[in-house]
Amino acid sequence: MILTVTLNTALDITYRVRSLRPHASHRVTDVAERPGGKGLNVARVLAALGHEVTVTGFTGGATGRAVQEHLTGTPEVVDALVPVDGSTRRTIAVVDDRTGDTTQLNEPGPTVTPAEWSAFQEAYDDLIASASAVALCGSLPPGVPVGAYAGLIRTAKAAGVPVLLDTSGEPLRRGVAARPDIVKPNADELAELTGSHEPVRATQDARRRGARAVVASLGAEGLLAATSEGRWRATPPASVHGNPTGAGDSTVAGLLSGLVERLPWPDRLARAVALSAATVLAPVAGEFDRGAYEELVGRVAVTGDVSAA
């Protein structure tokens, strides 16, 4: 079982409009709802790839109940979310059909009390014992300690469970110091962590700070990986346009599934890039176009220096 942690879960709502214009009223042509937050998106992709997944984090209020109702219809995904008194947030994606661009609106999460945080930690301790790997994903809701991910990483490592961390800012800085197996920042998050805007130097610096492997997402330029086995760059065969919501989460799912399946790094990176591109092409946030993925995965260019460590 793969465990994904989403401390700031969400209900993802996607609106489609013919053309998005500031200061104007719009007629919505289509509405879709999905369980959201980075770890839930990761779980959905992992399940589609054939893995058994358990999701945990926080859920509360009417929005939280809607998230859990949607999860019951997702095969191979087990709901182990922990209840809180506050209300789960919503994220709104507005897709402009004319341009294909997306505008994103993210609500804040509920305030988590010390007792609710303690209840989550107890649940996590129980779940990690049967996990083959864990992904710690996304922002921290108000009330959760800024060093939360660092503590969760140490718990997983004590249990011998590999950890992938995907977050930003101070939670990322503290989490990297706890020595996760993989961190997956985007270019801005990597620069904020290391102070360097040169990706090759920054990925190496992030490894020196504690991460065993760093996989940086460079948008349309693909992925750059620095690992103990070498350095690689994985590039998509062509630029894609669409809804980018969840594309980074599909990257995480590709990396984590490759880790569990013990794939070589070039194969993990090719899968991750293809899944990310196929997610941009999907009509709904947090899904991926399987046909596009199967067509793209064999065309991702992966180059590297396996002697570099």
Side-chain angles (χ1 to χ4, degrees):
M1 175 269 287
I2 299 176
L3 179 64
T4 72
V5 174
T6 313
L7 296 177
N8 211 3
T9 55
L11 181 66
D12 284 344
I13 303 171
T14 302
Y15 293 140
R16 302 193 74 92
V17 298
R18 289 188 175 87
S19 178
L20 183 62
R21 304 179 308 281
H23 316 299
S25 297
H26 297 79
R27 186 176 297 278
V28 175
T29 59
D30 185 65
V31 181
E33 289 186 353
R34 292 291 188 277
K38 295 177 75 63
L40 268 64
N41 291 336
V42 171
R44 193 159 50 245
V45 176
L46 286 169
L49 293 172
H51 291 275
E52 294 183 1
V53 191
T54 296
V55 298
T56 191
F58 295 113
T59 182
T63 308
R65 288 193 293 274
V67 167
Q68 292 184 285
E69 288 170 4
H70 284 299
L71 285 175
T72 60
T74 307
E76 306 300 330
V77 175
V78 175
D79 175 1
L81 294 169
V82 175
V84 294
D85 287 338
S87 183
T88 296
R89 66 193 177 119
R90 296 169 297 177
T91 65
I92 313 296
V94 183
V95 181
D96 185 324
D97 284 335
R98 180 178 59 86
T99 64
D101 293 334
T102 300
T103 299
Q104 189 81 16
L105 304 171
N106 296 330
E107 295 180 353
T111 298
V112 176
T113 67
E116 290 166 343
W117 175 237
S118 295
F120 169 80
Q121 289 177 291
E122 291 178 8
Y124 178 80
D125 289 347
D126 291 339
L127 290 166
I128 205 71
S130 56
S132 57
V134 58
L136 307 175
C137 302
S139 60
L140 301 179
V144 173
V146 70
Y149 283 138
L152 298 179
I153 290 166
R154 287 191 287 269
T155 298
K157 292 181 73 66
V161 178
V163 185
L164 187 152
L165 177 64
D166 182 16
T167 188
S168 60
E170 187 65 11
L172 174 61
R173 189 184 70 80
R174 297 197 186 193
V176 166
R179 304 186 65 82
D181 294 88
I182 305 173
V183 294
K184 191 219 69 71
N186 62 31
D188 291 339
E189 292 162 351
L190 185 63
E192 182 182 4
L193 173 67
T194 65
S196 173
H197 291 272
E198 202 290 303
V200 172
R201 179 181 302 169
T203 52
Q204 290 293 87
D205 184 26
R207 281 200 67 226
R208 286 191 292 270
R209 291 168 184 257
R212 294 186 61 190
V214 179
V215 181
S217 176
L218 306 180
E221 297 179 18
L223 299 176
L224 178 66
T227 81
S228 61
E229 300 171 35
R231 294 193 297 259
W232 288 272
R233 186 182 292 271
T235 308
S239 296
V240 294
H241 300 280
N243 185 354
T245 306
D249 307 327
S250 291
T251 297
V252 170
L255 295 172
L256 201 60
S257 62
L259 170 67
V260 170
E261 296 171 28
R262 301 183 183 277
L263 296 180
W265 269 107
D267 292 345
R268 297 186 207 182
L269 297 169
R271 175 183 289 182
V273 168
L275 282 170
S276 177
T279 299
V280 174
L281 294 170
V284 176
E287 305 289 346
F288 72 94
D289 184 317
R290 182 172 291 276
Y293 163 67
E294 293 174 351
E295 191 272 332
L296 287 167
V297 68
R299 298 173 54 212
V300 175
V302 183
T303 58
D305 176 8
V306 296
S307 66

